[in-house]
Amino acid sequence: MIFRTASFHDLDAATLYALLKLRVDVFVVEQDCPYPDLDGRDTEPGTRHLWYEVDRKPVAYLRLLTDDTPDGMVYRIGRVVTAPEARGDGLAGQLLTVALAVVGDAPAVLDAQAHLQRFYAKYGFAPSGPEFLEDGIPHVPMRRG
């Protein structure tokens, strides 16, 4: 198991393809939720891609963005995903720990699938608004810091 992190411009085509395939395999195919995964944010200069891979195949991934808000800059964690064969190994939590080390004391936000609120609460996130449907899946906005 190897940990990797990169900006968009540091990703080679094969790695980018594999990361996007993992996201589509879980979010679009497994969760039966066709949505625009390619939202333009992967390429932003401040975006960091974090993942674990086995034999050059990504098995867990998250994306760390920066958002400018009226209250200042906040980090946004998203696209947290684990391949079915790697679930239960704690990889999503390990990636979240690394991302939060980058964030430090700065505020961080995410939109959690509603059934994962307790998971994110273990990392200091609390609901920051009402539940909403995103592409048919209940989500809860959460904030840390």
Side-chain angles (χ1 to χ4, degrees):
M1 180 98 41
I2 299 172
F3 170 75
R4 304 260 190 222
T5 183
S7 69
F8 178 79
H9 294 290
D10 293 331
L11 294 170
D12 61 56
T15 300
L16 176 61
Y17 178 89
L19 294 173
L20 295 175
K21 183 175 183 336
L22 173 61
R23 287 171 21 183
V24 167
D25 285 350
V26 173
F27 295 133
V28 177
V29 177
E30 179 183 328
Q31 295 182 356
D32 192 24
C33 183
Y35 78 105
D37 181 51
L38 300 179
D39 60 2
R41 303 230 40 207
D42 292 311
T43 65
E44 292 176 2
T47 299
R48 298 299 301 170
H49 303 272
L50 293 77
W51 71 98
Y52 282 103
E53 65 183 31
V54 174
D55 297 327
R56 303 245 340 127
K57 179 185 176 193
V59 293
Y61 168 89
L62 71 71
R63 178 174 80 173
L64 183 62
L65 308 168
T66 55
D67 286 346
D68 289 320
T69 71
D71 298 325
M73 195 273 297
V74 299
Y75 286 91
R76 174 168 295 280
I77 295 170
R79 303 296 199 264
V80 181
V81 62
T82 304
E85 68 271 15
R87 292 184 189 149
D89 294 338
L91 297 178
Q94 290 176 42
L95 288 174
L96 199 52
T97 298
V98 172
L100 292 174
V102 171
V103 169
D105 292 331
V109 298
L110 54 81
D111 292 331
Q113 290 187 2
H115 72 278
L116 294 172
Q117 282 184 79
R118 284 187 294 195
F119 169 76
Y120 290 111
K122 291 189 285 186
Y123 297 90
F125 287 90
S128 59
E131 186 174 297
F132 64 95
L133 284 179
E134 183 173 333
D135 300 308
I137 297 176
H139 282 72
V140 176
M142 300 184 81
R143 184 177 179 95
R144 176 183 168 267

